[in-house]
Amino acid sequence: MATLTQCAPETLQAQSVVEVVLALGSNYQAEKYLPLARESLAALGEVKLSTAFQNPDFTATTQLPKPDYTNQCVHLALSTPMSLQQLQQTFKALEGDCNRRRQTEPKQVRRVTMDIDILMVRLATIENSLSKYSTFKSISDWIVMADRYPFKAHEEVGVKELTAFAD
């Protein structure tokens, strides 16, 4: 993968975003919640999906087994640009719409109906607005969320799948 620009999400909160690459994950009723999340995301703009993968929870141990996750990456070209902060709030609300419950007990095995993480963003710039969404014309226009990089193996595969037609 090309060298990517990384930024801490906190430094981009007020920046206007036109495209985003997301990681979706569910280890509980994924067959119900992934389609619901994809439908909600499609209401925000044009969606492209990577293959969905089933993966073991990388925090599971033999003493503390955990259910597998179904993971999928999503490229979303927003119909209307939003600040990164607005996007984060929108995705947190979408997780809630999917009955996401935060962990309350320290050693409790979490049932995650829907987890939405922002992997990469493409900011609104004059060049980006003129091109009316890149569909990954150049991966160098993207900013990776530093707290999400390096990507997990399934995220790397999903991003590569979504960017296969890029430079």
Side-chain angles (χ1 to χ4, degrees), residues 68-153:
D68 289 349
Y69 270 85
T70 300
N71 298 103
Q72 185 170 41
C73 287
V74 177
H75 169 247
L76 171 61
L78 295 164
S79 299
T80 306
M82 283 189 210
S83 72
L84 180 60
Q85 184 176 27
Q86 288 174 298
L87 277 173
Q88 289 168 325
Q89 291 168 348
T90 299
F91 298 148
K92 191 166 284 295
L94 204 159
E95 289 174 343
D97 293 345
C98 290
N99 297 315
R100 169 81 188 255
R101 302 285 178 260
R102 300 290 168 180
Q103 185 173 355
T104 54
E105 301 292 321
K107 292 192 179 192
Q108 166 185 4
V109 173
R110 290 190 296 169
R111 286 201 241 182
V112 180
T113 56
M114 182 49 52
D115 183 38
I116 302 173
D117 294 316
I118 299 172
L119 300 180
M120 301 174 14
V121 297
R122 188 162 175 259
L123 301 178
T125 63
I126 292 169
E127 297 81 22
N128 291 349
S129 62
L130 290 175
S131 70
K132 190 58 183 163
Y133 304 137
S134 70
T135 9
F136 286 104
K137 281 185 185 147
S138 175
I139 196 83
S140 61
D141 291 344
W142 289 79
I143 298 172
V144 175
M145 299 295 99
D147 62 342
R148 298 294 307 169
Y149 198 77
F151 297 139
K152 294 176 180 134

Side-chain angles (χ1 to χ4, degrees), residues 25-73:
S26 175
N27 73 357
Y28 182 71
Q29 295 184 348
E31 67 288 343
K32 174 181 179 180
Y33 292 111
L34 277 170
L36 181 60
R38 291 189 293 250
E39 184 180 318
S40 297
L41 291 170
L44 299 173
E46 186 181 329
V47 168
K48 287 189 175 69
L49 304 170
S50 74
T51 304
F53 296 99
Q54 191 162 6
N55 303 298
D57 184 324
F58 69 93
T59 64
T61 63
T62 50
Q63 295 80 21
L64 187 62
K66 297 180 181 180
D68 289 349
Y69 270 85
T70 300
N71 298 103
Q72 185 170 41
C73 287

